[in-house]
Amino acid sequence: SSEVPLEMLMDLTFPVSIELGRTSMTVQEILKLGRGSVIQLERLAGEPIDIYIGDRRFAEGEVVVLGEHFGVRITRLLSPASAAAAA
């Protein structure tokens, strides 16, 4: 098999997702949601957020404010083995 030169892959685009946390809600709870509702997540304040490249957990980070925008500072890159175990 012939190898693809790495340079050919550099222009590929992948979705990047930031996960602040998760929760489960009943349909009844969801129907009660409206403007101003607060959804409590399982993650504690101050815990790192998860950064996904495609569907793989790639890193952990923290939310930062950049002017009027939010951003994410990467605080830890995950090894392929630990990222696969956490998926």
Side-chain angles (χ1 to χ4, degrees):
S1 76
S2 61
E3 290 187 26
V4 176
L6 188 57
E7 297 80 36
M8 291 185 66
L9 302 175
M10 292 300 180
D11 289 335
L12 291 177
T13 301
F14 290 93
V16 177
S17 303
I18 309 301
E19 184 174 292
L20 205 53
R22 294 181 183 211
T23 193
S24 294
M25 300 175 76
T26 65
V27 171
Q28 184 177 3
E29 291 169 327
I30 292 168
L31 292 174
K32 290 180 183 177
L33 294 175
R35 186 180 184 113
S37 296
V38 176
I39 300 172
Q40 184 172 330
L41 306 174
E42 89 292 347
R43 193 162 303 198
L44 298 173
E47 280 190 81
I49 58 173
D50 293 323
I51 302 166
Y52 289 84
I53 305 293
D55 61 352
R56 282 240 156 149
R57 190 166 165 250
F58 172 76
E60 294 177 345
E62 60 188 13
V63 176
V64 295
V65 178
L66 305 166
E68 295 183 6
H69 299 274
F70 288 109
V72 175
R73 176 181 293 123
I74 294 175
T75 56
R76 178 176 166 230
L77 293 174
L78 302 176
S79 68
S82 66

